[in-house]
């Protein structure tokens, strides 16, 4: 009896912290190009998929622009997606930045620093071999409500 009561109590109290999964989408941001979502809210966290420097209107080809312009577009897209979850860049707690050339760190960092404020999100900065559609940078973030 005691084991059953303990198991029931644990089942009621120890729910997974991130059990729910709510789609967050902004019609103003570029649509996902694969089987993924712009963002997912789970508990108090919002996970934003990797944001590439795509023009939401499809009028500007950012792959032909420098890494600074691409970084601005990627972060602007993230801000649009966060807005759909009633969040801002100030709510970002973690970011992962992917670049095709690690030597772009200073340029990307300058743009990044103009968008984020102390306390800065935790961040990883990673060089990759290639990104979709010739992009030089992709950024994914996690924000907290």
């Amino acid at each position: 009896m005691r084991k059953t009561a303990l198991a029931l109590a644990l089942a009621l109290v120890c729910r997974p912290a991130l059990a729910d999964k709510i789609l967050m989408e902004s019609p103003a941001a570029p649509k996902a190009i694969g089987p993924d979502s712009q963002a997912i809210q789970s508990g108090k966290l919002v996970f934003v998929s990797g944001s590439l420097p795509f023009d939401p209107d499809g009028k500007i080809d950012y792959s032909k622009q420098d890494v600074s312009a691409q970084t601005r577009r990627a972060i602007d897209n993230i801000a649009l997606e966060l807005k759909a979850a009633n969040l801002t860049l100030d709510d970002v707690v973690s970011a992962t930045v992917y670049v095709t050339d690690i030597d772009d760190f200073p340029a990307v960092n300058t743009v990044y620093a103009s968008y984020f404020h102390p306390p800065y999100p935790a961040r990883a900065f990673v060089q990759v071999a290639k990104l979709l559609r010739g992009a030089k940078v992709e950024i994914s973030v996690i924000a907290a409500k």
Side-chain angles (χ1 to χ4, degrees), residues 59-134:
K59 296 178 182 173
I60 299 171
D61 183 358
Y62 280 91
S63 70
K64 304 208 183 315
Q65 297 195 8
D66 68 13
V67 74
S68 295
Q70 289 193 25
T71 302
R72 279 190 291 280
R73 181 71 262 164
I75 296 173
D76 287 342
N77 289 343
I78 290 169
L80 290 170
E81 294 161 1
L82 288 172
K83 186 176 180 184
N86 294 315
L87 296 170
T88 70
L89 293 171
D90 290 333
D91 298 306
V92 172
V93 296
S94 179
T96 304
V97 180
Y98 304 94
V99 294
T100 56
D101 185 349
I102 202 71
D103 291 335
D104 285 335
F105 178 81
V108 171
N109 205 46
T110 297
V111 174
Y112 182 95
S114 73
Y115 280 88
F116 294 98
H117 310 101
Y120 296 110
R123 181 178 77 176
F125 198 96
V126 182
Q127 179 176 314
V128 296
K130 192 173 183 180
L131 292 169
L132 289 171
R133 297 186 184 166

